[in-house]
Amino acid sequence: MSDVKLDINCAGMINGEIVTVEGEGLGSLERGTLGMEFRFSVIPKGFSVYCAALWTACCSTPTFAIERDGGVNMLTLSGGRYRCERTFDFGSYGAYDYHYEIRLDRDTDRMAATGVIQGNVDLPLIAGSEDSFTEVMVPVGPREVRSFSSTTFVTPDKERIPVGVQGRYIPLAEDDADWTCCATNQVRNSFINVLTAEGTTLRLEYQTVIDGIRAPAPVSFSN
């Protein structure tokens, strides 16, 4: 597959304020990379443009991931067509969630991510985030994968603010998909390089690898 162009459109409400997000990117399955630019209509007070660094291109990076040790990306699992839901929990600072539909058109090598975002957060000023995002992905049925991860943001005073992320991947409603054949316990690592985080614009690059989780070897017990 050649490089894929990604278009993102998002709308919702954060802290009672309407927010829209547009973006575009270029993904490469061969390199496991995705370059991305987000443009917010507004950054509500208590929110941060850095929050989008953890979106991993609105859940698109699992498609552009190098597969290792039995891990499978979302191209293998779903053909690059799926729903993704995530809740970002900042503890006492609040929480928000998003819901996205990811649609890859392999005839045109274009992908669209369309979604909504909603919640309330009261974060201090954020100066940066960790440069990686690790997600454990566990199949819980023929049409569902659950995921769990955690990371931290950093304030200008070097205070670390943890965030827990819970996610869910399911097929699109019109796709008669059964993921039983391919889904496996696995870990996705996305390495994040923030290029620009100014005002309402965030530009960054992701490199993503998915590794299968091997079952432990049997333990021999002796009397």
Side-chain angles (χ1 to χ4, degrees), residues 113-130:
T114 306
V116 296
I117 177 174
Q118 183 174 355
N120 294 279
V121 291
D122 187 18
L123 294 168
L125 182 65
I126 301 297
S129 62
E130 289 191 14

Side-chain angles (χ1 to χ4, degrees), residues 55 127 138 173 200:
W55 294 3
V138 180
T200 57

Side-chain angles (χ1 to χ4, degrees), residues 18-222:
I18 295 175
V19 177
T20 61
V21 187
E22 294 181 347
E24 59 272 334
L26 188 66
S28 168
L29 183 65
E30 288 75 17
R31 298 187 296 274
T33 59
L34 177 59
M36 193 73 224
E37 178 177 309
F38 292 100
R39 295 180 299 277
F40 287 76
S41 60
V42 64
I43 302 296
K45 183 179 179 181
F47 193 63
S48 172
V49 72
Y50 276 103
C51 288
L54 304 186
W55 294 3
T56 53
C58 302
C59 230
S60 297
T61 56
T63 297
F64 304 101
I66 295 173
E67 300 175 327
R68 297 192 312 199
D69 295 330
V72 294
N73 59 36
M74 292 303 292
L75 181 65
T76 298
L77 191 59
S78 70
R81 294 170 51 85
Y82 52 97
R83 284 197 177 106
C84 178
E85 305 168 358
R86 286 190 186 144
T87 296
F88 300 83
D89 187 352
F90 295 87
S92 62
Y93 294 103
Y96 71 92
D97 52 40
Y98 74 40
H99 303 263
Y100 268 89
E101 288 192 354
I102 314 298
R103 297 175 180 269
L104 172 64
D105 186 336
R106 300 186 72 167
D107 292 331
T108 63
D109 286 336
R110 296 191 72 92
M111 174 182 277
T114 306
V116 296
I117 177 174
Q118 183 174 355
N120 294 279
V121 291
D122 187 18
L123 294 168
L125 182 65
I126 301 297
S129 62
E130 289 191 14
D131 59 4
S132 65
F133 183 89
T134 299
E135 178 182 38
V136 178
M137 304 172 69
V138 180
V140 297
R143 294 174 58 86
E144 183 176 359
V145 171
R146 294 277 183 171
S147 69
F148 310 89
S149 59
S150 63
T151 186
T152 58
F153 287 148
V154 181
T155 70
D157 297 329
K158 306 302 181 183
E159 177 187 359
R160 297 176 66 83
I161 298 176
V163 52
V165 186
Q166 295 190 37
R168 180 175 180 243
Y169 299 83
I170 58 176
L172 297 178
E174 65 268 25
D175 288 352
D176 185 19
D178 184 340
W179 293 353
T180 305
C181 64
C182 301
T184 182
N185 293 343
Q186 58 189 21
V187 175
R188 174 176 70 91
N189 287 297
S190 285
F191 302 94
I192 305 169
N193 180 22
V194 175
L195 304 175
T196 302
E198 297 178 352
T200 57
T201 300
L202 179 69
R203 293 178 56 246
L204 67 172
E205 296 175 337
Y206 300 99
Q207 185 171 32
T208 304
V209 175
I210 290 182
D211 291 279
I213 300 175
R214 297 183 178 181
V219 177
S220 298
F221 295 94
S222 56

